[in-house]
Amino acid sequence: MTETPARAAPFASLLGICKSFAATCAVDDVSIDIYEGQVLALLGENGAGKSTLMKLLYGVHEPDRGKIIVDGPGENPISSPLDAMRLGIGMVFQNFALIPALSVRENLLLAWPDTPVVIKKIKPQNDPVLKKLYEIAPQIDPFQKVGSLSVGEQQLVELCKILNLSTRLVILDEPTSVLTPAEAERLHGFVRSLAENGVGVVFITHKFSDVKACADRIAIMRRGQLIEDVEAQSIDHDGLVRAVMGTDATSRADPPGPPKSDQPRLQIRGLSAHSRNEVLEDINLNIASGEIFAIAGVSGNGQSLLAEVVAGVHQLDDGDVLLDGTSIARHASAQIMKPHVAYIPEAPRINGCVEDLDLGLNLALRDLSTVGTKPLANVRAELEKFDVRPPDPAKKAGDLSGGNLQKLVIARELADYGKAVLAVYPTMGLDIEATKAVYARIFSMAAAGAAVLWISEELDDMLESAHTIAVMRSGHIVEQFKNSHHLTRQKIGALMTGAHDA
Amino acid sequence: MKAWISSVGAPTALTCAAFTLVTAVFFISIGQPAIKTIADMMVFAVGDSYSLSETLVKTIPIMMCALATAIPGRLGLISVGAEGQLHVGAIFGTAVMLVLPESFGLLGLCLVLVAAAIGGTLFGFIPGVLRVRLGINETITTLVMNYIGVLFVSALVYGPWRDPANQGWPATKSFPEDLILPFFFGTRVHAGLVIAIGIAVLLHLQFHRGTWSRQIKVLSGNRKVGETFGLNYAFTALLLMCLGGAVAGLAGIFEASAIQGRLQPGLSAGFGLTGFLVAWLSRHEPLMIVPVSFLVAGLISAGDALQLFAKIPAASSTILQGLLFATALAVPGLIKRYRGRYGN
């Protein structure tokens, strides 16, 4: 990390900022300076107020109290994102503002202030709107539809959009939570080069790996307050954990003991299925009672389809899925399926909740098809048990942040001990404490006899806790291992990408 | 000001104020004295017992068509088929009237009503089945089927069902008195009003209480999640389409028997479309539909009366309806934006 030189004046200063939503105080008297050419990592747990603070700077919300001064002493009030953009502040949100049906170039033209009235066809190499794209992501074809890009690529397009506005400060809201490890590494490098070119970067995150990889300065928030604001080299990993959590927390949940029997509980036999963009061919897996069976793979290789077939959401073409010998798969699309396994789906905002409905009803979804059920009596207690913030049963699911929505789905699916758990990226968007709690819960369910099918990209966690690890690529299980210390991250990583074939 | 605009009643109050204002501007623009004309309108809508009764007469089909739209609307289905369902309901009910022998009593009335409901159901079932089995957009099918329903009435009354006693006038024979719902106090307001309000209340209870209401909410919010948890989208959609059709079908037989006395062309004065707009204004809330359809019916009858007595162009009534819908959509939208702006 380079030595931060003494700077003349901060690009933006936030002074004594307070912001409340209803009764909750999201940001409580925070003062912070932001400089150009510096990467500021804004660290904290889910719901600590990081995103809110930055949305105040970007003009999405207006502060209740306090003052935001941008670019010197002159009055530069920010009352909307438009003002912020004019002052050279750009923000990349967790949900991108791209139009999937339009091409990359068209999306960039939409946000570009110099877009001519008549758009001429010019060679892409000479097209000024694509200049930034060629600098940061030459691999992206500007005429491809945005909808067909991977999440990581979409993020780069969104970033290009913002850099096209001659931006002096870029705010990234948990940018790596949707990225694969390789994509995250590329983003880290890119953030560094932005800072070296004199652009300020605020990197909102709860992953320590992000902080280590690219931060110059670290600001830590906890429950709406700024706890720490230090140079990156002056704080070590333990110090970070202490500051974020407020306690000395150990990092991981204890992995469960080996399964007691080999008797398969969840069986996948000769399974074939297809969806619009994924195919599964002849998948055979046996998961014993108490076994934690992890499937590693680069996302998009059939894992999400496999999960939906096992959960009985997607129809299969051939084969079967058996739970204790009984079929739980959907054999025809019109079949009515009861939920048999505890299912934590990928992208819970789309697949695991009803955004327009309140938390109470969202928690009661599993009992919905049984006529005569009442809504849960102690919704608040359930929400508090899994630390969903805020634990307000009347709040709409769509108003929760990504991490809290994940906790909501987990609270519903893992509330009771079941026969099988199907967890797809279960810790996506969760902070350390919540991650630990989720793992602990899944492991205790395994210890009580549940068969656990765990689809993830967190190789380190898998190597630490899973009993069996299978690698999936292009709709096939390419290799399956009993977990042991001989198994390494590199070996699995090579299988995931198919590098060993070369 | 800020506090007041956040209150619950603010959108309604402001909508009414804004509508009065644009109505005044409209009357001035066509050279009428604004305040006097608006006052006249009030009188013609609810000013005396006759005006009030005529407004109520128009309220019934509008309310029922709005309910017919709102029922599938709760699941996010957009049906514009109330007009066609109303006509087919009238056809089925009339068919029963034509085959029944004279003086069949209360049983006959019940048969007529049930037949009308079945007719409407059929016209909800067809687009419903096309939607859930083949994925065909229900808005398009219901729209197109309206033409079938409306023109089928004409085909029947110009053809096989024309009563020779009418001397060429295209209409069926008249409904005998015992097959018509009772009227209130010698006016044209019939018991359909009670039935319509009863249906609204029942629907309100169904859509706000109990397991079924929650299932509909989940399926309309996120179909995939609903199906993950064992709900049957196809069946629910089909059922709601059929129920909606049944309500509109009843409206059809009420119009044919109680108001017009026979089946003839011009059965509906665009009640299907008006009902569709009322349903959307009421956000598919059955209990909101009751007062909103009364309001719109008042506007229509006042417009008709003004045209007769105040020499105001015939199109005024339609223009005023359009203005009402535009204001009712724009004002709450603007308020919402204003509230959002100040972080409420």
Side-chain angles (χ1 to χ4, degrees), chain A residues 64-301:
Chain A
D64 298 336
R65 261 182 296 133
K67 208 171 170 195
I68 298 175
I69 301 166
V70 177
D71 197 16
E75 281 291 309
N76 287 313
I78 299 181
S79 58
S80 75
L82 209 61
D83 294 336
M85 278 184 244
R86 234 186 338 254
L87 294 168
I89 302 173
M91 183 158 177
V92 178
F93 292 93
Q94 280 173 286
N95 306 323
F96 311 135
L98 296 170
I99 300 171
L102 295 184
S103 73
V104 171
R105 178 168 179 262
E106 287 164 334
N107 266 289
L108 291 176
L109 282 170
L110 269 180
W112 196 40
D114 306 334
T115 300
V117 178
V118 181
I119 297 167
K120 278 179 269 170
K121 285 214 160 115
I122 8 175
K123 274 194 181 161
Q125 290 79 3
N126 303 332
D127 195 343
V129 75
L130 296 176
K131 204 167 144 260
K132 289 280 182 205
L133 185 73
Y134 279 108
E135 275 172 30
I136 67 171
Q139 78 278 12
I140 297 177
D141 171 11
F143 299 102
Q144 207 180 350
K145 294 256 187 297
V146 162
S148 64
L149 298 178
S150 77
V151 179
E153 288 170 328
Q154 290 189 19
Q155 192 175 51
L156 290 176
V157 175
E158 183 80 38
L159 210 53
C160 282
K161 218 167 92 177
I162 280 162
L163 293 173
N164 266 345
L165 306 169
S166 51
T167 305
R168 295 163 67 190
L169 173 66
V170 175
I171 305 168
L172 302 167
D173 192 357
E174 301 199 14
T176 51
S177 67
V178 289
L179 298 186
T180 62
E183 284 176 329
E185 262 169 51
R186 206 163 51 212
L187 182 75
H188 292 151
F190 179 66
V191 164
R192 288 280 0 130
S193 74
L194 269 185
E196 272 145 32
N197 290 325
V199 178
V201 180
V202 177
F203 199 116
I204 303 176
T205 183
H206 47 69
K207 289 188 181 169
F208 293 156
S209 59
D210 291 339
V211 179
K212 279 183 204 136
C214 60
D216 295 319
R217 201 171 120 221
I218 301 171
I220 296 169
M221 288 187 73
R222 196 163 74 223
R223 300 193 187 270
Q225 290 175 322
L226 190 67
I227 300 298
E228 202 83 68
D229 181 1
V230 291
E231 296 297 314
Q233 56 268 64
S234 66
I235 189 163
D236 61 356
H237 182 269
D238 291 342
L240 276 180
V241 176
R242 259 197 305 279
V244 172
M245 314 278 295
T247 49
D248 287 279
T250 51
S251 59
R252 296 242 162 87
D254 294 329
K260 292 176 193 78
S261 78
D262 287 342
Q263 185 66 31
R265 181 149 221 186
L266 185 64
Q267 288 175 286
I268 299 172
R269 282 194 194 151
L271 176 77
S272 300
H274 74 280
S275 69
R276 223 149 45 103
N277 37 26
E278 285 180 316
V279 180
L280 296 176
E281 275 174 58
D282 196 28
I283 307 275
N284 287 287
L285 301 172
N286 287 310
I287 306 171
S289 168
E291 182 176 1
I292 295 175
F293 192 112
I295 293 183
V298 177
S299 77
N301 274 278

Side-chain angles (χ1 to χ4, degrees), chain A residues 300-486:
Chain A
N301 274 278
Q303 300 97 315
S304 35
L305 180 58
L306 177 68
E308 294 209 333
V309 171
V310 173
V313 176
H314 201 282
Q315 179 189 358
L316 49 69
D317 297 335
D318 199 15
D320 210 347
V321 182
L322 304 174
L323 180 63
D324 286 339
T326 321
S327 174
I328 57 167
R330 182 184 287 264
H331 293 273
S333 66
Q335 205 177 342
I336 304 306
M337 303 296 300
K338 293 262 178 278
H340 291 278
V341 298
Y343 172 40
I344 302 166
E346 179 187 23
R349 204 174 278 282
I350 306 162
N351 297 320
C353 75
V354 187
E355 284 197 272
D356 289 342
L357 299 181
D358 61 40
L359 302 187
L361 192 45
N362 269 292
L363 267 188
L365 285 180
R366 282 187 80 85
D367 303 321
L368 197 66
S369 60
T370 353
V371 177
T373 45
K374 290 196 182 116
L376 287 180
N378 46 0
V379 177
R380 183 172 286 273
E382 284 292 313
L383 294 173
E384 275 166 1
K385 189 170 149 200
F386 286 88
D387 195 30
V388 180
R389 284 182 220 166
D392 174 4
K395 201 166 174 75
K396 287 202 170 128
D399 294 341
L400 293 183
S401 70
N404 281 301
L405 201 72
Q406 182 83 23
K407 289 188 224 168
L408 173 77
V409 171
I410 288 164
R412 178 180 70 221
E413 299 297 324
L414 303 186
D416 299 321
Y417 285 89
K419 289 178 181 172
V421 177
L422 170 57
V424 189
Y425 312 125
T427 58
M428 178 81 87
L430 297 186
D431 55 50
I432 324 167
E433 195 172 16
T435 300
K436 191 183 158 199
V438 169
Y439 282 146
R441 183 71 194 165
I442 293 177
F443 298 160
S444 79
M445 288 176 79
V452 177
L453 180 57
W454 173 20
I455 294 172
S456 177
E457 282 175 350
E458 306 279 348
L459 296 185
D460 294 332
D461 292 356
M462 287 183 172
L463 285 166
E464 182 143 339
S465 320
H467 300 121
T468 313
I469 298 178
V471 178
M472 193 162 188
R473 198 175 72 237
S474 320
H476 295 274
I477 299 287
V478 281
E479 197 85 65
Q480 183 177 328
F481 306 97
K482 284 275 160 216
N483 195 0
S484 70
H485 58 271
H486 298 301

Side-chain angles (χ1 to χ4, degrees), chain B:
Chain B
M1 180 67 182
K2 261 190 205 178
W4 180 80
I5 208 151
S6 303
S7 66
V8 189
T12 320
L14 279 180
T15 303
C16 292
F19 178 59
T20 317
L21 196 72
V22 292
T23 308
V25 171
F26 167 68
F27 283 138
I28 292 168
S29 76
I30 59 169
Q32 297 288 336
I35 293 169
K36 183 182 174 299
T37 320
I38 290 175
D40 282 350
M41 277 183 70
M42 297 276 214
V43 173
F44 286 130
V46 293
D48 54 63
S49 61
Y50 175 76
S51 309
L52 181 65
S53 78
E54 281 307 295
T55 296
L56 284 174
V57 164
K58 288 199 170 57
T59 306
I60 301 167
I62 292 174
M63 193 194 301
M64 294 184 79
C65 287
L67 292 170
T69 308
I71 294 169
R74 298 296 294 203
L75 195 63
L77 296 171
I78 301 172
S79 159
V80 291
E83 186 83 3
Q85 291 156 355
L86 178 145
H87 280 80
V88 174
I91 291 173
F92 271 57
T94 308
V96 171
M97 180 273 281
L98 290 174
V99 299
L100 276 186
E102 290 287 326
S103 68
F104 215 70
L106 189 61
L107 179 65
L109 177 62
C110 292
L111 282 177
V112 167
L113 295 186
V114 169
I118 290 175
T121 304
L122 179 75
F123 251 47
F125 178 80
I126 296 168
V129 118
L130 291 174
R131 165 67 205 238
V132 299
R133 285 280 169 255
L134 303 175
I136 298 172
N137 184 310
E138 74 283 357
T139 313
I140 306 294
T141 41
T142 48
L143 179 72
V144 175
M145 283 176 68
N146 283 342
Y147 293 102
I148 303 178
V150 173
L151 293 174
F152 207 74
V153 167
S154 300
L156 285 171
V157 298
Y158 277 103
W161 283 8
R162 170 149 47 180
D163 185 16
N166 285 341
Q167 296 165 339
W169 178 251
T172 63
K173 69 171 183 175
S174 298
F175 275 77
E177 230 164 74
D178 56 353
L179 294 187
I180 298 175
L181 285 172
F183 294 94
F184 293 115
F185 319 115
T187 63
R188 298 208 299 161
V189 184
H190 54 85
L193 183 64
V194 181
I195 297 178
I197 293 173
I199 292 174
V201 172
L202 269 181
L203 287 173
H204 174 79
L205 294 177
Q206 277 302 328
F207 288 143
H208 289 274
R209 259 155 249 244
T211 310
W212 197 51
S213 77
R214 290 201 289 278
Q215 293 180 345
I216 291 173
K217 278 182 197 158
V218 169
L219 281 173
S220 89
N222 191 332
R223 175 179 175 177
K224 187 176 176 187
V225 167
E227 290 188 322
T228 303
F229 292 103
L231 300 187
N232 193 337
Y233 179 85
F235 176 75
T236 313
L238 202 52
L239 182 67
L240 292 180
M241 285 299 288
C242 288
L243 275 179
V247 174
L250 279 178
I253 197 62
F254 292 168
E255 284 304 293
S257 67
I259 302 304
Q260 308 203 333
R262 57 181 76 80
L263 187 64
Q264 59 188 20
L267 178 63
S268 150
F271 296 133
L273 182 63
T274 310
F276 177 83
L277 294 170
V278 167
W280 280 80
L281 275 192
S282 318
R283 290 184 207 88
H284 298 147
E285 284 295 343
L287 286 193
M288 270 296 282
I289 285 175
V290 178
V292 174
S293 34
F294 179 71
L295 185 74
V296 172
L299 195 63
I300 294 174
S301 15
D304 291 351
L306 279 183
Q307 181 192 325
L308 282 176
F309 303 117
K311 304 276 185 302
I312 281 180
S316 304
S317 167
T318 317
I319 291 173
L320 286 180
Q321 262 190 77
L323 288 175
L324 172 68
F325 292 123
T327 359
L329 291 174
V331 171
L334 288 173
I335 292 176
K336 205 168 164 188
R337 218 175 123 164
Y338 179 86
R339 283 178 186 171
R341 192 84 186 75
Y342 292 95
N344 178 37

